[in-house]
Amino acid sequence: MELGDRMLRALLSGLGRKGGTRDWAFSSWQPYLPLAGLLSATEVVSHWTAVFEKRGIPEAQASSEYIVAHVLGAKTFQSLRPVLRTQPLSPWQLQHVQKLSSCRLQRMPLQYILGEWDFQGLSLKMAPPVFIPRPETEELVEWVLKEVTQSSCPMGAQGGPLILEVGCGSGAISLSLLTQLPQSRVIAVDKGEAAICLTQENAQRLRLLDRIQIVPLDVTLEGSWSHLLPWGPMDLVVSNPPYIFHQDMEQLAPEIRRSIFLEVDPRHPELVGSWLQSRPDLSLDLVAVRKDFCGRPRFLHIRRSGPQCGCLMEA
């Protein structure tokens, strides 16, 4: 605490220099060299954790650790070599931490600040305004993988499933499935140009462009599904939409023959189940609702009903 108090007093007083560093948390960094020569990574983390906590920033310590680790070229603070945690930061490093931390103080999501985030073991670029995949979304991917690997049904002409992702965003779901299902192929659609470009960039970084078709498409528009017909029957449909469009369910193409996996708001499963029961003409059944790690009903498994669905999968 004594070191933290000394550091904070030095920051606020500007070490006696004229003008000081008043309102420094939101202003540009003033790289006082004596101060820069005293602060280690651990001390900087402690300081910014206190600032974030005072400002009510969620996960204050984790935010501070991720930012400092990023500036020092690591994924996590825990992965830093011990010497990097204790040696003084350079003026440029302190300035960079200041800049990123100021963004966090303005409530910018950490994933946007760092410009990347890990999902299912993949390092994906993240950029606004594309939505950031939630931690629960990894559970959705794991569920789909389990269903596919346990299914005895043959899928796809090339030995793996042909998957349609509606609202691909950063490409997190599609690229995770492609990585863990080597014979699979994906049609990824999104109405946002930023999402299309981000998925394209992430697929290129992971060298998966040869197995994914990225299509700009607003599935809420009448007749939009006809653009997907040239790819033939889909084995799976996966989506993590920001909200559920009724038009999506009403316009499902007949070529979709087996499963739909959705991540939804916890209040939606009951509504979706009731709605599907009121629309028997769609030949779709809600066969399972799965809870996330917080115990909230988060994921839906909807399957085509009737003999056309092929063999059934236990959910």
Side-chain angles (χ1 to χ4, degrees), residues 7 29 31-48 64-65 67-73 77 80-98 100-101:
M7 179 173 61
W29 178 262
Y32 299 113
L33 294 180
L35 183 63
L38 294 175
L39 296 180
S40 69
T42 300
E43 292 166 345
V44 173
V45 166
S46 297
H47 172 71
W48 278 107
S64 180
E65 288 180 344
I67 288 172
V68 173
H70 177 75
V71 170
L72 296 180
F77 192 76
L80 282 171
R81 291 185 291 118
V83 65
L84 291 179
R85 299 185 194 181
T86 56
Q87 72 182 20
L89 272 67
S90 69
W92 178 88
Q93 289 170 332
L94 287 172
Q95 183 179 5
H96 199 182
V97 170
Q98 158 73 20
L100 300 183
S101 298

Side-chain angles (χ1 to χ4, degrees), residues 270-286:
E270 184 177 353
L271 297 175
V272 173
S274 299
W275 184 76
L276 287 175
Q277 289 181 358
S278 71
R279 293 296 304 272
D281 55 303
L282 294 177
S283 299
L284 295 171
D285 294 327
L286 176 59

Side-chain angles (χ1 to χ4, degrees), residues 38-191:
L38 294 175
L39 296 180
S40 69
T42 300
E43 292 166 345
V44 173
V45 166
S46 297
H47 172 71
W48 278 107
T49 298
V51 173
F52 290 156
E53 287 176 345
K54 185 175 181 181
R55 291 284 185 172
I57 301 299
E59 300 178 341
Q61 182 170 342
S63 296
S64 180
E65 288 180 344
Y66 271 116
I67 288 172
V68 173
H70 177 75
V71 170
L72 296 180
K75 286 280 187 182
T76 66
F77 192 76
Q78 289 69 28
S79 67
L80 282 171
R81 291 185 291 118
V83 65
L84 291 179
R85 299 185 194 181
T86 56
Q87 72 182 20
L89 272 67
S90 69
W92 178 88
Q93 289 170 332
L94 287 172
Q95 183 179 5
H96 199 182
V97 170
Q98 158 73 20
K99 178 181 178 182
L100 300 183
S101 298
S102 295
C103 293
R104 188 72 186 106
L105 285 171
Q106 297 174 50
R107 301 298 178 125
M108 178 181 286
L110 188 61
Q111 293 88 339
Y112 290 159
I113 294 172
L114 303 182
E116 62 181 13
W117 199 250
D118 284 358
F119 183 90
Q120 284 282 314
L122 303 178
S123 182
L124 302 174
K125 180 178 178 180
M126 297 290 165
V130 179
F131 287 113
I132 301 164
R134 297 164 57 91
E136 296 93 329
T137 307
E138 297 200 38
E139 295 183 69
L140 177 64
V141 172
E142 291 167 3
W143 189 18
V144 174
L145 290 170
K146 181 179 178 181
E147 293 290 338
V148 172
T149 55
Q150 291 183 351
S151 172
S152 60
C153 300
M155 289 187 177
Q158 300 183 12
L162 177 59
I163 302 167
L164 170 66
E165 184 185 5
V166 179
C168 57
S170 64
I173 293 177
S174 290
L175 299 175
S176 296
L177 294 174
L178 286 173
T179 300
Q180 300 186 62
L181 298 172
Q183 303 302 317
S184 64
R185 293 170 297 137
V186 165
I187 311 298
V189 305
D190 202 294
K191 68 177 183 179

